[in-house]
PDB file of all heavy atoms in Angstrom:
ATOM      1  N   SER A 150     126.672 131.088  34.061  1.00  0.00           N
ATOM      2  CA  SER A 150     125.501 131.636  33.522  1.00  0.00           C
ATOM      3  C   SER A 150     124.941 130.959  32.141  1.00  0.00           C
ATOM      4  O   SER A 150     123.768 131.148  31.839  1.00  0.00           O
ATOM      5  CB  SER A 150     125.750 133.059  33.145  1.00  0.00           C
ATOM      6  OG  SER A 150     126.697 133.203  32.078  1.00  0.00           O
ATOM      7  N   GLY A 151     125.834 130.203  31.480  1.00  0.00           N
ATOM      8  CA  GLY A 151     125.479 129.602  30.209  1.00  0.00           C
ATOM      9  C   GLY A 151     125.728 130.568  29.093  1.00  0.00           C
ATOM     10  O   GLY A 151     125.450 130.177  27.855  1.00  0.00           O
ATOM     11  N   GLU A 152     126.153 131.736  29.339  1.00  0.00           N
ATOM     12  CA  GLU A 152     126.337 132.719  28.315  1.00  0.00           C
ATOM     13  C   GLU A 152     127.525 132.398  27.430  1.00  0.00           C
ATOM     14  O   GLU A 152     128.522 131.808  28.014  1.00  0.00           O
ATOM     15  CB  GLU A 152     126.598 134.186  28.865  1.00  0.00           C
ATOM     16  CG  GLU A 152     125.353 134.708  29.576  1.00  0.00           C
ATOM     17  CD  GLU A 152     125.644 135.966  30.323  1.00  0.00           C
ATOM     18  OE1 GLU A 152     126.873 136.146  30.857  1.00  0.00           O
ATOM     19  OE2 GLU A 152     124.852 136.873  30.205  1.00  0.00           O
ATOM     20  N   VAL A 153     127.537 132.721  26.141  1.00  0.00           N
ATOM     21  CA  VAL A 153     128.596 132.453  25.241  1.00  0.00           C
ATOM     22  C   VAL A 153     129.419 133.808  25.281  1.00  0.00           C
ATOM     23  O   VAL A 153     128.904 134.944  25.210  1.00  0.00           O
ATOM     24  CB  VAL A 153     128.197 132.115  23.836  1.00  0.00           C
ATOM     25  CG1 VAL A 153     129.385 132.003  22.905  1.00  0.00           C
ATOM     26  CG2 VAL A 153     127.373 130.896  23.790  1.00  0.00           C
ATOM     27  N   ILE A 154     130.718 133.660  25.576  1.00  0.00           N
ATOM     28  CA  ILE A 154     131.595 134.906  25.715  1.00  0.00           C
ATOM     29  C   ILE A 154     132.812 134.857  24.856  1.00  0.00           C
ATOM     30  O   ILE A 154     133.213 133.703  24.436  1.00  0.00           O
ATOM     31  CB  ILE A 154     131.987 135.011  27.160  1.00  0.00           C
ATOM     32  CG1 ILE A 154     132.717 133.872  27.722  1.00  0.00           C
ATOM     33  CG2 ILE A 154     130.799 135.327  28.039  1.00  0.00           C
ATOM     34  CD1 ILE A 154     133.369 134.043  29.097  1.00  0.00           C
ATOM     35  N   LEU A 155     133.412 136.070  24.603  1.00  0.00           N
ATOM     36  CA  LEU A 155     134.634 135.972  24.013  1.00  0.00           C
ATOM     37  C   LEU A 155     135.584 136.462  25.231  1.00  0.00           C
ATOM     38  O   LEU A 155     135.360 137.408  25.881  1.00  0.00           O
ATOM     39  CB  LEU A 155     134.740 137.202  22.971  1.00  0.00           C
ATOM     40  CG  LEU A 155     136.123 137.501  22.348  1.00  0.00           C
ATOM     41  CD1 LEU A 155     136.677 136.231  21.534  1.00  0.00           C
ATOM     42  CD2 LEU A 155     136.060 138.788  21.456  1.00  0.00           C
ATOM     43  N   GLU A 156     136.541 135.603  25.428  1.00  0.00           N
ATOM     44  CA  GLU A 156     137.450 135.956  26.726  1.00  0.00           C
ATOM     45  C   GLU A 156     138.929 135.910  26.175  1.00  0.00           C
ATOM     46  O   GLU A 156     139.261 135.308  25.308  1.00  0.00           O
ATOM     47  CB  GLU A 156     137.145 134.928  27.829  1.00  0.00           C
ATOM     48  CG  GLU A 156     137.695 133.465  27.439  1.00  0.00           C
ATOM     49  CD  GLU A 156     137.593 132.576  28.628  1.00  0.00           C
ATOM     50  OE1 GLU A 156     137.823 132.914  29.757  1.00  0.00           O
ATOM     51  OE2 GLU A 156     137.244 131.359  28.370  1.00  0.00           O
ATOM     52  N   LYS A 157     139.692 136.841  26.885  1.00  0.00           N
ATOM     53  CA  LYS A 157     141.080 136.980  26.645  1.00  0.00           C
ATOM     54  C   LYS A 157     141.685 135.910  27.789  1.00  0.00           C
ATOM     55  O   LYS A 157     141.531 136.294  29.009  1.00  0.00           O
ATOM     56  CB  LYS A 157     141.651 138.283  26.844  1.00  0.00           C
ATOM     57  CG  LYS A 157     142.994 138.442  26.449  1.00  0.00           C
ATOM     58  CD  LYS A 157     143.534 139.880  26.332  1.00  0.00           C
ATOM     59  CE  LYS A 157     142.941 140.644  25.154  1.00  0.00           C
ATOM     60  NZ  LYS A 157     143.434 139.986  23.848  1.00  0.00           N
ATOM     61  N   LEU A 158     142.386 134.982  27.361  1.00  0.00           N
ATOM     62  CA  LEU A 158     142.941 133.986  28.251  1.00  0.00           C
ATOM     63  C   LEU A 158     143.912 134.619  29.271  1.00  0.00           C
ATOM     64  O   LEU A 158     144.715 135.490  28.987  1.00  0.00           O
ATOM     65  CB  LEU A 158     143.753 132.942  27.576  1.00  0.00           C
ATOM     66  CG  LEU A 158     142.891 131.960  26.664  1.00  0.00           C
ATOM     67  CD1 LEU A 158     143.770 131.028  25.890  1.00  0.00           C
ATOM     68  CD2 LEU A 158     141.933 131.171  27.438  1.00  0.00           C
ATOM     69  N   GLY A 159     143.726 134.231  30.514  1.00  0.00           N
ATOM     70  CA  GLY A 159     144.587 134.756  31.605  1.00  0.00           C
ATOM     71  C   GLY A 159     144.181 136.036  32.216  1.00  0.00           C
ATOM     72  O   GLY A 159     144.874 136.588  33.098  1.00  0.00           O
ATOM     73  N   THR A 160     143.068 136.623  31.646  1.00  0.00           N
ATOM     74  CA  THR A 160     142.592 137.879  32.236  1.00  0.00           C
ATOM     75  C   THR A 160     141.179 137.792  32.591  1.00  0.00           C
ATOM     76  O   THR A 160     140.435 136.616  32.313  1.00  0.00           O
ATOM     77  CB  THR A 160     142.708 139.003  31.111  1.00  0.00           C
ATOM     78  OG1 THR A 160     141.812 138.790  30.137  1.00  0.00           O
ATOM     79  CG2 THR A 160     144.128 138.965  30.444  1.00  0.00           C
ATOM     80  N   LYS A 161     140.539 138.820  33.158  1.00  0.00           N
ATOM     81  CA  LYS A 161     139.173 138.752  33.361  1.00  0.00           C
ATOM     82  C   LYS A 161     138.299 139.485  32.269  1.00  0.00           C
ATOM     83  O   LYS A 161     137.116 139.766  32.412  1.00  0.00           O
ATOM     84  CB  LYS A 161     138.945 139.448  34.752  1.00  0.00           C
ATOM     85  CG  LYS A 161     139.452 138.615  35.855  1.00  0.00           C
ATOM     86  CD  LYS A 161     139.094 139.130  37.309  1.00  0.00           C
ATOM     87  CE  LYS A 161     139.673 138.364  38.287  1.00  0.00           C
ATOM     88  NZ  LYS A 161     139.317 138.613  39.625  1.00  0.00           N
ATOM     89  N   ASN A 162     139.047 139.870  31.129  1.00  0.00           N
ATOM     90  CA  ASN A 162     138.349 140.458  29.995  1.00  0.00           C
ATOM     91  C   ASN A 162     137.392 139.464  29.350  1.00  0.00           C
ATOM     92  O   ASN A 162     137.829 138.458  28.803  1.00  0.00           O
ATOM     93  CB  ASN A 162     139.343 140.875  28.950  1.00  0.00           C
ATOM     94  CG  ASN A 162     140.293 142.049  29.510  1.00  0.00           C
ATOM     95  OD1 ASN A 162     139.900 142.632  30.579  1.00  0.00           O
ATOM     96  ND2 ASN A 162     141.255 142.374  28.788  1.00  0.00           N
ATOM     97  N   ARG A 163     136.165 139.831  29.375  1.00  0.00           N
ATOM     98  CA  ARG A 163     135.088 138.953  28.787  1.00  0.00           C
ATOM     99  C   ARG A 163     133.948 139.866  28.088  1.00  0.00           C
ATOM    100  O   ARG A 163     133.619 140.817  28.776  1.00  0.00           O
ATOM    101  CB  ARG A 163     134.486 138.003  29.796  1.00  0.00           C
ATOM    102  CG  ARG A 163     135.503 137.079  30.416  1.00  0.00           C
ATOM    103  CD  ARG A 163     134.898 136.236  31.537  1.00  0.00           C
ATOM    104  NE  ARG A 163     135.848 135.295  31.990  1.00  0.00           N
ATOM    105  CZ  ARG A 163     135.559 134.238  32.809  1.00  0.00           C
ATOM    106  NH1 ARG A 163     134.441 134.145  33.252  1.00  0.00           N
ATOM    107  NH2 ARG A 163     136.520 133.480  33.152  1.00  0.00           N
ATOM    108  N   LYS A 164     133.558 139.425  26.980  1.00  0.00           N
ATOM    109  CA  LYS A 164     132.457 140.078  26.247  1.00  0.00           C
ATOM    110  C   LYS A 164     131.413 139.080  25.952  1.00  0.00           C
ATOM    111  O   LYS A 164     131.705 138.069  25.339  1.00  0.00           O
ATOM    112  CB  LYS A 164     132.973 140.701  24.943  1.00  0.00           C
ATOM    113  CG  LYS A 164     131.948 141.302  24.118  1.00  0.00           C
ATOM    114  CD  LYS A 164     132.469 141.801  22.730  1.00  0.00           C
ATOM    115  CE  LYS A 164     131.377 142.233  21.973  1.00  0.00           C
ATOM    116  NZ  LYS A 164     131.950 142.608  20.549  1.00  0.00           N
ATOM    117  N   VAL A 165     130.180 139.369  26.380  1.00  0.00           N
ATOM    118  CA  VAL A 165     129.000 138.448  26.109  1.00  0.00           C
ATOM    119  C   VAL A 165     128.696 138.464  24.663  1.00  0.00           C
ATOM    120  O   VAL A 165     128.371 139.577  24.124  1.00  0.00           O
ATOM    121  CB  VAL A 165     127.919 138.769  27.060  1.00  0.00           C
ATOM    122  CG1 VAL A 165     126.748 137.911  26.676  1.00  0.00           C
ATOM    123  CG2 VAL A 165     128.197 138.595  28.483  1.00  0.00           C
ATOM    124  N   LEU A 166     128.583 137.401  24.076  1.00  0.00           N
ATOM    125  CA  LEU A 166     128.225 137.248  22.574  1.00  0.00           C
ATOM    126  C   LEU A 166     126.789 136.843  22.400  1.00  0.00           C
ATOM    127  O   LEU A 166     126.161 137.187  21.497  1.00  0.00           O
ATOM    128  CB  LEU A 166     129.167 136.348  21.870  1.00  0.00           C
ATOM    129  CG  LEU A 166     130.603 136.592  21.832  1.00  0.00           C
ATOM    130  CD1 LEU A 166     131.394 135.579  21.254  1.00  0.00           C
ATOM    131  CD2 LEU A 166     130.852 137.957  21.107  1.00  0.00           C
ATOM    132  N   ALA A 167     126.278 135.961  23.334  1.00  0.00           N
ATOM    133  CA  ALA A 167     124.861 135.445  23.217  1.00  0.00           C
ATOM    134  C   ALA A 167     124.628 134.893  24.640  1.00  0.00           C
ATOM    135  O   ALA A 167     125.289 134.507  25.412  1.00  0.00           O
ATOM    136  CB  ALA A 167     124.786 134.353  22.209  1.00  0.00           C
ATOM    137  N   ALA A 168     123.238 134.881  24.918  1.00  0.00           N
ATOM    138  CA  ALA A 168     122.760 134.486  26.204  1.00  0.00           C
ATOM    139  C   ALA A 168     122.815 132.947  26.342  1.00  0.00           C
ATOM    140  O   ALA A 168     122.993 132.433  27.450  1.00  0.00           O
ATOM    141  CB  ALA A 168     121.328 134.953  26.359  1.00  0.00           C
ATOM    142  N   THR A 169     122.666 132.180  25.263  1.00  0.00           N
ATOM    143  CA  THR A 169     122.844 130.817  25.372  1.00  0.00           C
ATOM    144  C   THR A 169     123.647 130.311  24.026  1.00  0.00           C
ATOM    145  O   THR A 169     123.759 130.987  23.058  1.00  0.00           O
ATOM    146  CB  THR A 169     121.369 130.109  25.276  1.00  0.00           C
ATOM    147  OG1 THR A 169     120.881 130.325  23.931  1.00  0.00           O
ATOM    148  CG2 THR A 169     120.447 130.582  26.308  1.00  0.00           C
ATOM    149  N   LEU A 170     124.072 129.096  24.229  1.00  0.00           N
ATOM    150  CA  LEU A 170     124.832 128.360  23.083  1.00  0.00           C
ATOM    151  C   LEU A 170     123.828 128.306  21.862  1.00  0.00           C
ATOM    152  O   LEU A 170     124.327 128.455  20.824  1.00  0.00           O
ATOM    153  CB  LEU A 170     125.402 127.136  23.592  1.00  0.00           C
ATOM    154  CG  LEU A 170     126.337 126.348  22.713  1.00  0.00           C
ATOM    155  CD1 LEU A 170     127.439 127.407  22.203  1.00  0.00           C
ATOM    156  CD2 LEU A 170     127.077 125.299  23.408  1.00  0.00           C
ATOM    157  N   GLU A 171     122.681 127.879  22.140  1.00  0.00           N
ATOM    158  CA  GLU A 171     121.688 127.769  20.989  1.00  0.00           C
ATOM    159  C   GLU A 171     121.561 129.081  20.199  1.00  0.00           C
ATOM    160  O   GLU A 171     121.649 129.111  19.021  1.00  0.00           O
ATOM    161  CB  GLU A 171     120.329 127.417  21.509  1.00  0.00           C
ATOM    162  CG  GLU A 171     119.279 127.246  20.353  1.00  0.00           C
ATOM    163  CD  GLU A 171     117.913 127.077  20.870  1.00  0.00           C
ATOM    164  OE1 GLU A 171     117.568 127.305  22.122  1.00  0.00           O
ATOM    165  OE2 GLU A 171     116.998 126.862  20.048  1.00  0.00           O
TER     166      GLU A 171
END
Side-chain angles (χ1 to χ4, degrees):
S150 68
E152 294 172 324
V153 178
I154 59 171
L155 176 65
E156 69 174 319
K157 187 168 288 299
L158 294 174
T160 73
K161 293 185 180 188
N162 294 349
R163 296 178 176 184
K164 174 186 173 187
V165 175
L166 301 172
T169 67
L170 192 43
E171 177 195 10

